[in-house]
Amino acid sequence: MRIVLANVPHPAIGSRSAKDHLPPLGLLAVGGPLIDAGHDVRLIDADRDNTPLPALIRTIARAAPDAVLFGHSGSASAHPVIAAVARGVADVCPGVPVVYGGVYPTYHWREILTDEPYVTAIVRGEGEETIVRLMAALERAPDRTALAAIRGLAFRGPEGPFATRPAPLIRDLESYRVGWELIDPARYRSWGGLRAVAVQFSRGCPQDGPHCGQHGFWTQWRHRDPVRFAQELAWLHREHGVRVITFADETPSASRAVWRTFLEALIAENVDLILVGSTRADDIVRDADLLPLYKQAGWTRFLLAVGHTGPDTRARIGTGGSSGTDRAAIRLLRQHGILSMATSVVGCAEERDRDHWRGLRRLLALDPDQIQMLYVTPHRWTPFARDAADRRVIQTDRTRWDGKHQVLDTRHMAPWRVLLWVKLKEAVLQGRPRALARVLFHPDPGLRRAMRWYTGIGFRMWIYDLARFMVERRTRRGPTLAAFQGTPHETHAAAMETPAERIHERAVVLIPKHPRRRPTGGVVGPKREAQAD
């Protein structure tokens, strides 16, 4: 089959304000298994060039696909754009199956299949194995009667939207490979213009945080083979000149023993890489004696979730750490020449001026190198959606549900006051003398360059946020969260099979697995990639 993987232009401010872009890892992850299954696969990355939607639809149609696959990291903000492109593809390519995957469709499958007739099927949970089975079924049976035998799907049955049993977890993450040959790495840049890709060492998070859907979506924390993963990163550097590796994991370092094996394996490869990603402050403190290995392997910056503002926010949006642990982690990273970025969430219902003031003082005491301010976003598949069910939605445009816009009301503060507190925190944290001294005079030229790059992006976004707020439409008295997005899914948040379900399993439809092939050749060259522009 001729399969098109379509990455739509994402409306999130991070995608539109920054010049740098990373390849769509989720689509590459399903692209590799589809190629190994014998399909002709092409990636059209409209997000990279912010391709207008009509031009993207025409490009997809020119590819004459037998199936079109949409996916994203699962954000709610991407869905309206995917819906518009899918509708256009259905108009110009009638009868071509449209398949949609990611976190958002996994938990909103019923609404999507009810309201969007142009979507043929939704892949729920991990997609590598399910998508291969789905394409085989569509190729054999155009009437789609075979879909009911495939686990991890949702589609329209005789009585309306129907979901099959959850798919089993992919326990061996080496079973399927990333389709790196679908991209030209030279077209993807980060860290101020360096060639970059996103990777995933592990899936899931051992912490079941109420604001996060990682635990429910992935069901269980798993990891790649640490040695083979290090070899793959070294291959990306040697064969394709990749310098920056962004980890898409929530907690890649959850297992100290496995993580140490990976660090030592990557050091043995002797490649000059810049590694950036997220982890928990607890893991940094736990690995105080391993931080020289972190640095030697190439780790340059860690994002740490710290600094929530209001007292009820800290109680409900926990990260498993404490102020003392956060402070210790930041200091340890600094001692070993690794940057820290503190992520702080605002927007709890009971916040007042004094809570924001305390939050600012706490962030100053933590003394991170960089700061990222986010607004709490109550995704339906998280327990926080239950806690916030009665709060009013002030932003009904889902493209703004990206963590950088206020979407819920705050009981004691108008949106403009919340915005001013956020902008004040960003200005103080990034503009204080100590922070500016690091940006201007840090002894490590690589870190100095990185901080200047990020500071430049932050300044542009700071101005953009203020200007956009003036013209952005908000609803003063919008619907409650429960009315806007439906019943929270906390009680059935597991996207894939749980151990209890495996015990009661009666039959499993098996298909041969395709052996994992090590990337061997080039990538899609500039000529073919240009056709997607």
Side-chain angles (χ1 to χ4, degrees):
M1 296 180 70
R2 290 189 302 275
I3 300 173
V4 167
L5 308 176
N7 189 35
V8 303
H10 197 285
I13 184 173
S15 293
R16 300 283 64 89
S17 62
K19 297 180 180 179
D20 298 335
H21 286 276
L22 296 172
L25 179 60
L27 289 174
L28 297 182
V30 298
L34 288 171
I35 293 172
D36 293 346
H39 297 287
D40 178 10
V41 183
R42 175 184 177 185
L43 171 69
I44 299 177
D45 189 358
D47 188 49
R48 186 209 173 277
D49 300 311
N50 196 22
T51 307
L53 300 194
L56 171 58
I57 294 168
R58 290 194 298 269
T59 302
I60 294 173
R62 285 197 297 268
D66 296 313
V68 180
L69 278 55
F70 293 95
H72 196 264
S73 58
S75 65
S77 58
H79 174 70
V81 182
I82 290 176
V85 176
R87 184 186 305 111
V89 169
D91 290 340
V92 299
C93 302
V96 173
V98 172
V99 181
Y100 188 10
V103 181
Y104 182 87
T106 290
Y107 293 107
H108 287 261
W109 61 270
R110 190 180 301 277
E111 292 83 359
I112 293 172
L113 292 173
T114 298
D115 301 334
E116 301 172 23
Y118 37 84
V119 175
T120 305
I122 289 173
V123 175
R124 302 175 64 233
E126 292 176 311
E128 289 93 335
E129 187 161 342
T130 303
I131 197 65
V132 172
R133 297 183 181 212
L134 174 59
M135 291 299 106
L138 292 177
E139 194 170 26
R140 291 192 308 266
D143 60 359
R144 306 183 182 105
T145 56
L147 300 191
I150 301 175
R151 297 173 61 174
L153 279 186
F155 58 93
R156 292 177 196 83
E159 299 180 359
F162 170 79
T164 64
R165 291 178 56 195
L169 275 78
I170 299 175
R171 299 195 173 279
D172 179 10
L173 296 183
E174 300 299 328
S175 299
Y176 299 100
R177 67 179 185 87
V178 176
W180 294 117
E181 64 266 49
L182 292 170
I183 65 167
D184 175 8
R187 302 184 72 241
Y188 294 93
R189 304 279 173 165
S190 184
W191 215 247
L194 300 179
R195 196 170 296 191
V197 298
V199 299
Q200 192 177 43
F201 174 64
S202 66
R203 292 183 177 181
C205 179
Q207 300 295 317
D208 191 8
H211 76 297
C212 178
Q214 286 283 329
H215 185 82
F217 183 81
W218 298 112
T219 307
Q220 180 179 317
W221 188 84
R222 293 148 289 150
H223 61 83
R224 291 274 307 274
D225 179 281
V227 175
R228 294 184 65 174
F229 184 69
Q231 292 171 348
E232 187 168 331
L233 300 191
W235 174 83
L236 286 167
H237 175 74
R238 294 184 181 121
E239 297 297 323
H240 302 297
V242 173
R243 285 287 319 281
V244 180
I245 304 290
T246 296
F247 280 62
D249 313 42
E250 288 293 310
T251 52
S253 57
S255 169
R256 173 182 164 93
V258 171
W259 190 238
R260 178 170 187 160
T261 300
F262 161 68
L263 295 173
E264 292 173 341
L266 188 57
I267 291 169
E269 292 289 341
N270 192 29
V271 288
D272 183 19
L273 290 174
I274 296 172
L275 309 181
V276 297
S278 305
T279 194
R280 299 175 66 244
D282 291 19
D283 289 0
I284 297 297
V285 175
R286 178 202 68 192
D287 291 347
D289 60 321
L290 298 184
L291 288 178
L293 295 181
Y294 280 60
K295 182 64 176 179
Q296 191 176 352
W299 275 102
T300 304
R301 187 183 72 187
F302 275 107
L303 185 149
L304 305 172
V306 301
H308 306 300
T309 300
D312 63 333
T313 307
R314 287 196 297 272
R316 298 175 182 177
I317 310 181
T319 57
S322 65
S323 295
T325 303
D326 295 339
R327 187 179 300 111
I330 290 170
R331 290 178 178 177
L332 283 168
L333 290 174
R334 183 169 293 128
Q335 290 171 10
H336 291 85
I338 302 173
L339 299 177
S340 61
M341 174 184 284
T343 297
S344 181
V345 179
V346 303
C348 85
E350 304 301 331
E351 283 174 350
R352 300 174 184 266
D353 289 318
R354 61 175 176 265
D355 296 311
H356 284 284
W357 173 245
R358 281 195 293 262
L360 174 57
R361 292 178 60 187
R362 180 171 184 261
L363 287 170
L364 288 170
L366 292 176
D367 191 27
D369 295 302
Q370 297 169 345
I371 183 70
Q372 180 186 62
M373 300 296 301
L374 299 175
Y375 298 100
V376 65
T377 306
H379 293 302
R380 182 181 183 182
W381 50 89
T382 64
F384 181 72
R386 177 204 61 202
D387 298 336
D390 295 331
R391 291 178 62 178
R392 294 286 176 178
V393 174
I394 62 173
Q395 179 53 265
T396 56
D397 182 355
R398 286 195 184 274
T399 63
R400 299 293 187 262
W401 284 52
D402 58 0
K404 299 300 292 183
H405 297 78
Q406 298 179 61
V407 299
L408 293 179
D409 69 339
T410 48
R411 196 185 314 275
H412 306 294
M413 303 188 72
W416 65 267
R417 282 173 64 193
V418 178
L419 173 76
L420 291 182
W421 270 113
V422 168
K423 296 297 109 181
L424 175 64
K425 292 175 185 178
E426 291 174 340
V428 170
L429 266 294
Q430 297 295 155
R432 61 203 161 105
R434 182 180 298 180
L436 289 176
R438 291 170 186 152
V439 171
L440 296 174
F441 307 114
H442 197 286
D444 185 322
L447 296 184
R448 186 169 64 242
R449 176 178 178 273
M451 286 191 286
R452 290 179 178 179
W453 167 73
Y454 183 78
T455 301
I457 293 178
F459 179 75
R460 293 196 301 270
M461 292 180 66
W462 196 89
I463 298 296
Y464 180 72
D465 279 346
L466 288 174
R468 183 193 57 218
F469 186 85
M470 299 296 183
V471 298
E472 193 174 72
R473 291 185 177 182
R474 284 171 296 279
T475 303
R476 288 191 175 184
R477 193 67 179 171
T480 64
L481 178 63
F484 179 70
Q485 67 174 5
T487 305
H489 278 191
E490 180 194 356
T491 56
H492 51 285
M496 290 172 291
E497 180 186 69
T498 64
E501 290 169 328
R502 288 196 298 275
I503 292 174
H504 294 90
E505 181 176 338
R506 294 183 178 179
V508 178
V509 179
L510 298 176
I511 64 170
K513 280 190 175 182
H514 300 279
R516 179 183 177 87
R517 298 194 314 214
R518 181 174 177 81
T520 55
V523 293
V524 177
K527 181 177 180 180
R528 178 177 176 185
E529 190 67 22
Q531 296 173 356
D533 295 345

